[in-house]
Amino acid sequence: MHTLYSLALRFCCPFRQLRRSSPPPQPLIPPSVPASGASTPWCVCGMEKEREDEETEGRERPEPLTDVERGIIQDTWARVYESCEDVGVTILIRFFVNFPSAKQYFSQFQDMEDPEEMEKSPQLRKHARRVMNAINTVVENLHDPEKVSSVLGLVGKAHALKYKVEPMYFKILSGVILEILAEDFGECFTSEVQTSWTKLMAALYWYITGAYTEVGWLKLSSSAV
């Protein structure tokens, strides 16, 4: 599990040389952004400051996106979203192949081992569209932090209360998304673009885990993941 944790943390590091490993993956969901012109990091609404300080201790707050970075993300996403389903399927396949323990949360995919079988699965393709549409909603509303917070709050609470998904998998999925985008759209993923998307993924994880905290999710030891 220490290995899984280390892999998960790598997405927070500066965007590195990415290489194509195994194929695409599946579940969790998107990121979020700050109020226009905001100079301070986003925070989770409805939480008492004392509890927030206690629960987020050891977690680095995400750096706010600038207006320029929001524009960069929306421009590059427009290209990605043209192939919405295919990109989503690629992401999910790699997620499940590289991190098979994530399949425990998806009864439809638990027994799938072959990437080609996953690619042809109607259920996986449907979930891929759901993930990509959720990201699209966030990207389209980067100018509206309340909307972004609301969308990601619902995602976080559903995965915590209904699906019981360990939140670390959101960080892992974020890293997989960055890898696929850099590999498949490398010609437009300059260092500036990569930095903007990395910040967006960090915001995603912050909002999602904030929702987990708000519903009283009990932290699990690494051995429980």
Side-chain angles (χ1 to χ4, degrees), residues 15-16 18 20 176-187 189 194:
F15 215 92
R16 51 181 171 51
L18 295 171
R20 200 177 282 276
V176 172
I177 291 172
L178 292 176
E179 287 187 356
I180 297 301
L181 295 186
E183 291 173 9
D184 292 359
F185 301 90
E187 71 283 356
F189 263 68
Q194 293 169 350

Side-chain angles (χ1 to χ4, degrees), residues 16-213:
R16 51 181 171 51
Q17 279 295 91
L18 295 171
R19 66 180 181 284
R20 200 177 282 276
S21 49
S22 4
Q26 166 182 307
L28 326 184
I29 306 190
S32 130
V33 194
S36 177
S39 58
T40 56
W42 311 298
C43 60
V44 180
C45 299
M47 293 176 58
E48 295 180 355
K49 188 177 186 308
E50 294 180 5
R51 183 180 179 187
E52 180 181 350
D53 290 341
E54 177 184 344
E55 294 296 335
T56 61
E57 184 178 356
R59 276 204 310 142
E60 204 174 318
R61 285 173 175 271
E63 183 180 352
L65 290 170
T66 65
D67 290 340
V68 171
E69 289 168 335
R70 286 196 285 272
I72 288 173
I73 289 169
Q74 290 173 331
D75 288 344
T76 53
W77 178 251
R79 291 194 57 184
V80 174
Y81 201 61
E82 289 175 0
S83 306
C84 168
E85 185 173 316
D86 289 339
V87 175
V89 168
T90 298
I91 290 170
L92 295 189
I93 293 175
R94 182 168 300 178
F95 181 58
F96 287 138
V97 169
N98 287 0
F99 306 95
S101 61
K103 291 191 292 183
Q104 66 182 292
Y105 301 110
F106 303 89
S107 58
Q108 334 69 312
F109 317 134
Q110 276 180 349
D111 300 324
M112 292 186 187
E113 301 289 343
D114 182 11
E116 290 187 8
E117 181 185 5
M118 294 182 191
E119 186 177 7
K120 295 175 183 177
S121 167
Q123 296 92 341
L124 189 144
R125 299 192 75 86
K126 180 179 179 181
H127 197 78
R129 290 193 300 271
R130 186 178 303 161
V131 172
M132 295 296 282
N133 287 337
I135 297 176
N136 187 61
T137 298
V138 168
V139 172
E140 285 185 338
N141 289 281
L142 293 184
H143 62 285
D144 186 350
E146 289 188 8
K147 173 71 171 179
V148 170
S149 177
S150 175
V151 169
L152 295 178
L154 291 175
V155 169
K157 290 174 182 177
H159 282 76
L161 299 175
K162 183 175 181 180
Y163 305 116
K164 312 295 183 185
V165 175
E166 165 61 41
M168 179 59 66
Y169 285 104
F170 280 95
K171 179 173 286 188
I172 295 171
L173 181 64
S174 295
V176 172
I177 291 172
L178 292 176
E179 287 187 356
I180 297 301
L181 295 186
E183 291 173 9
D184 292 359
F185 301 90
E187 71 283 356
C188 68
F189 263 68
T190 63
S191 58
E192 184 179 26
V193 173
Q194 293 169 350
T195 297
S196 299
W197 274 94
T198 299
K199 289 173 67 174
L200 182 60
M201 291 296 106
L204 176 159
Y205 186 65
W206 178 263
Y207 274 118
I208 294 293
T209 54
Y212 270 70
T213 299

